[in-house]
Amino acid sequence: MTDPADDVQATAAPESDHSEEAATAAKRLSAFAARHGGPAHVYLEHVSANRTRIVVVAQDGRYGDQVLRSQQAAIDACATAGFTVSEGDWEREAVGAVRTTAFEWGLMGHGRPAGK
């Protein structure tokens, strides 16, 4: 069963302070990865003109993410956390490593309701 405390939520930071936003994301994602055996795969995903998502797939298959206000903030967060970012599309190995739990299925509208 998934512990909702393990689920990393998007960082809310002032529009002008990307360094604080990056530092907060680095801290949260580093803590998440540490609880799950360390990072196995890290990807940056373009969400919109002013949002970039960092996805960390941990050694145990759990994944966490953070959405930041710029690609540079996401790059800075990964550098601060000491993560090596995989370039391009997700590799087959990374996709196969992800272990989706009931909590994530609930967020997607399947399984148990999200947040319970």
Side-chain angles (χ1 to χ4, degrees):
M1 177 169 276
T2 301
D3 179 2
D6 283 343
D7 295 295
V8 181
Q9 301 299 316
T11 303
E15 189 72 30
S16 62
D17 193 358
H18 293 295
S19 62
E20 183 178 329
E21 178 184 34
T24 300
K27 180 180 174 183
R28 289 179 177 177
L29 290 171
S30 293
F32 168 82
R35 286 192 308 272
H36 296 281
H41 306 278
V42 179
Y43 288 92
L44 298 183
E45 298 177 340
H46 174 78
V47 176
S48 68
N50 59 350
R51 296 286 190 262
T52 299
R53 178 181 182 216
I54 304 169
V55 181
V56 176
V57 179
Q59 293 291 334
D60 69 356
R62 290 296 313 273
Y63 64 95
D65 68 342
Q66 291 274 261
V67 177
L68 287 83
R69 297 183 189 278
S70 71
Q71 183 174 12
Q72 189 59 53
I75 291 168
D76 293 347
C78 290
T80 299
F83 294 153
T84 300
V85 177
S86 298
E87 298 291 328
D89 293 333
W90 282 52
E91 299 166 356
R92 183 180 193 94
E93 179 184 332
V95 173
V98 172
R99 299 294 172 247
T100 305
T101 66
F103 183 80
E104 287 88 14
W105 284 115
L107 291 173
M108 293 182 271
H110 298 44
R112 68 182 176 88
K116 293 188 179 180

